[in-house]
Amino acid sequence: MATVGETLISLLEAHGVDVVFGIPGVHTVELYRGLARSRIRHVTPRHEQGAGFMADGYARASGKPGVAFVITGPGLTNAITAMAQARADSVPMLVISGVNALPTLGKGLGFLHELPDQRGMMEKVALFSHRMEDPAELPEVLHRAFTIFAAERPGPIHIEIPLDMMGRHCPPLAARPVEEMPPSPDEAQLSEIAARAGEASRPLILAGGGARRAGAQLLRVTEKLDAPVVTTANARGLLHDHPLGVHASPSLFAVRELMAGSDFVLAAGTEFGPTDYDMYANGGFVLPANLARIDIDQAQLDRRPAALSIRADCAAALDLLAEKLPASNHRDGAARAAAARAAAFAEIGEEMRGQLAAVEMIRDTLPGALIVGDSTQPIYAANLYYDHDRPGGWFNAATGFGALGFGPPAAIGAAIAEPEATVVCLSGDGGFQFTLTELGAALDAGARVIFVVWNNHGYREIETSMREAGVEPVGVSPAPPDFIGIAAAYRMPAERLTRIDGLPAALRHAHSTGRAALIEILVS
């Protein structure tokens, strides 16, 4: 008979898992017994937070759950930040950890990696946390996890396996196939939305991350309504270079004016989170009264009620809605969208337009690239105003939970998910130092990531905020290392730029190496 650890691996294979990110330890040895003989690839980060961020990037690029193995205690607590980011951005992530032997739990006996209540801690972050107390539970708990990933609003899920169970032999266990589908849209409600939208003279669509895999369906609805489409940061890449696209943040006054002037607003897959809709915390965002919402999560619909709300997968709902809408009556959608784009571009100001130009250089030099960002000034600028050229190809941690250090490991995960894609990580010198050692993981994994470091010698955005608040800046100037020297230590091609106009040539050269490379941009 196989052990519990070996059985877990075979069940993960049955659920389509092909990559696991993790750092083995004495509390997960028995999981690796099955892993070594499986078809699942193992990728070793340099820190468990990196394992979580890699799983996140893998999931966003592939659409499949990212899986991480971590040890009891510190391994799991190191991964919490990544799990919280995944929770904020609805990213499917499965974290499997050890836990100390069942008879010892909660007794404070001082065992290695002991926590007072590990599962209780994880229940505050994960969609659910399950402790294995009987091997027979494995098929059911994995079925529950993969059902959520397939049919509900996804996020991080935690399973812990006690040390005294991992190596125990168990009878053969078969995976329970996932047959559940996302909730089907209500036809009557869709007919009502179609009727209201058809009567509107100034319709508007708001598209969030929940719609990023519904590009074709969104396009049909958009063109039938002749409605401008505002995309949040996690929806960028939809309607690229389309005359109805407004790829600007709803936190901008220009976009808010567009919303206020619309007589019907359809929101698809957006939670109306403040980091998208009120990032300056000025209270200027008002939920439209003439609002219809489509979202897979009933809890999200309940938090911000609309005149009409439909719980459904965005792609399915938009597909049916397109069938119900009459042919376009040629409203002035393109003119409204153009005016909003022009006003938003002017509003972000000269400095941010300069930072945006760097992001556009990356897009235009490497068409179709995945650009994975950290919290840094060019990412902030592009989240405010930027049109990416592929759906799902722009994501970062500067919205939602806002974790620094996300970019490098998430980019590695994305490169492993799409090995033929061009992947660029755009990070600041401060955030890059959070996960700098993952350069080694990129080399180990053969992940062809171009790491672009925006080096402005500290936390410039925070320094600016402190000055604007009348606070003398303190703690915002951590000394950056010699990034080129560090790349050399990892035997990685690297180049330092002092002028932004050298970026296209540097990107082309880095891409030509066919391996991980680093470009540092010194910002005065």
Side-chain angles (χ1 to χ4, degrees):
M1 290 191 295
T3 65
V4 170
E6 290 171 315
T7 301
L8 169 69
I9 299 303
S10 66
L11 293 176
L12 289 175
E13 283 185 310
H15 281 289
V17 174
D18 54 13
V19 181
V20 164
F21 304 91
I23 301 176
V26 293
H27 282 194
T28 52
V29 165
E30 285 298 334
L31 297 184
Y32 283 78
R33 185 188 300 279
L35 192 61
R37 295 196 297 270
S38 75
R39 299 186 303 273
I40 297 175
R41 178 185 181 185
H42 183 270
V43 175
T44 307
R46 297 304 187 261
H47 190 283
E48 289 91 356
Q49 180 174 271
F53 285 147
M54 287 179 192
D56 181 305
Y58 172 91
R60 296 197 205 213
S62 69
K64 298 168 59 176
V67 181
F69 282 0
V70 296
I71 64 165
T72 311
L76 189 56
T77 56
N78 283 343
I80 283 181
T81 296
M83 293 176 70
Q85 186 71 51
R87 178 73 180 253
D89 286 347
S90 305
V91 176
M93 179 187 296
L94 179 60
V95 176
I96 298 174
S97 77
V99 72
N100 283 307
L102 275 172
T104 72
L105 297 181
K107 296 183 179 178
L109 300 175
F111 281 90
L112 180 65
H113 303 329
E114 184 178 71
L115 283 167
D117 183 3
Q118 179 172 285
R119 185 179 59 180
M121 175 182 66
M122 297 312 298
E123 286 176 335
K124 306 299 183 184
V125 178
L127 297 180
F128 76 82
S129 177
H130 181 87
R131 176 181 301 146
M132 297 294 306
E133 298 190 1
D134 185 332
E137 298 169 8
L138 264 177
E140 182 60 39
V141 69
L142 287 175
H143 176 267
R144 181 185 173 194
F146 282 89
T147 295
I148 290 174
F149 296 148
E152 301 178 26
R153 184 189 186 197
I157 290 171
H158 171 241
I159 298 172
E160 61 182 24
I161 305 177
L163 291 181
D164 54 343
M165 185 178 295
M166 278 187 201
R168 188 188 304 174
H169 288 86
C170 64
L173 298 171
R176 278 192 59 193
V178 173
E179 299 174 347
E180 290 82 352
M181 299 292 289
S184 298
D186 183 277
E187 293 255 4
Q189 289 180 311
L190 276 178
S191 296
E192 176 66 18
I193 287 178
R196 294 195 187 191
E199 294 169 358
S201 59
R202 299 181 310 281
L204 177 69
I205 298 173
L206 306 174
R212 68 172 177 255
R213 298 187 187 276
Q217 298 86 346
L218 177 65
L219 179 62
R220 288 177 60 206
V221 172
T222 299
E223 292 186 337
K224 275 200 165 184
L225 283 177
D226 193 30
V229 179
V230 175
T231 52
T232 66
N234 281 331
R236 298 291 167 78
L238 295 171
L239 273 75
H240 170 63
D241 203 27
H242 194 285
L244 290 169
V246 181
H247 309 291
S249 170
S251 293
L252 296 173
F253 291 115
V255 179
R256 290 176 174 178
E257 288 179 3
L258 176 65
M259 293 169 62
S262 302
D263 57 359
F264 178 79
V265 179
L266 173 63
T270 180
E271 67 175 355
F272 291 102
T275 55
D276 276 315
Y277 288 83
D278 193 20
M279 67 175 297
Y280 297 112
N282 57 21
F285 173 70
V286 178
L287 202 68
N290 50 351
L291 176 67
R293 295 188 66 188
I294 300 170
D295 201 287
I296 200 169
D297 185 12
Q298 186 61 48
Q300 284 293 352
L301 294 172
D302 293 341
R303 288 182 187 114
R304 291 181 174 86
L308 286 170
S309 294
I310 295 181
R311 180 176 177 245
D313 172 70
C314 278
L318 291 170
D319 195 39
L320 284 175
L321 179 60
E323 293 179 8
K324 294 178 178 293
L325 287 169
S328 172
N329 59 5
H330 302 292
R331 304 172 178 89
D332 60 347
R336 294 168 59 218
R341 287 195 302 268
F345 187 70
E347 184 180 336
I348 65 173
E350 183 178 359
E351 184 175 355
M352 284 200 172
R353 287 195 293 270
Q355 294 159 5
L356 170 63
V359 179
E360 292 177 332
M361 279 183 187
I362 297 172
R363 178 198 64 197
D364 297 342
T365 304
L366 302 172
L370 289 162
I371 302 181
V372 183
D374 215 304
S375 293
T376 189
Q377 286 184 315
I379 296 295
Y380 299 144
N383 279 347
L384 281 177
Y385 188 101
Y386 172 64
D387 184 13
H388 197 56
D389 63 355
R390 61 173 286 179
W394 169 265
F395 59 87
N396 56 78
T399 62
F401 195 60
L404 269 171
F406 170 89
I412 293 168
I416 290 168
E418 289 202 35
E420 301 305 315
T422 300
V423 180
V424 178
C425 169
L426 180 54
S427 181
D429 60 294
F432 197 67
Q433 291 181 73
F434 275 50
T435 46
L436 180 61
T437 52
E438 300 302 351
L439 291 177
L443 295 176
D444 286 349
R448 297 183 300 169
V449 178
I450 301 173
F451 298 95
V452 178
V453 184
W454 186 265
N455 185 357
N456 55 19
H457 301 274
Y459 303 129
R460 185 66 58 82
E461 192 71 18
I462 305 303
E463 179 182 347
T464 300
S465 298
M466 294 175 85
R467 292 188 186 281
E468 289 177 350
V471 175
E472 183 177 351
V474 174
V476 292
S477 302
D482 178 356
F483 290 109
I484 304 302
I486 289 174
Y490 280 109
R491 298 174 299 283
M492 180 180 291
E495 183 173 353
R496 176 178 289 129
L497 303 178
T498 57
R499 291 175 56 88
I500 195 66
D501 55 11
L503 181 57
L507 288 167
R508 286 190 289 269
H509 178 259
H511 186 261
S512 72
T513 67
R515 51 181 298 207
L518 185 144
I519 300 169
E520 178 187 15
I521 304 171
L522 292 177
V523 183
S524 61

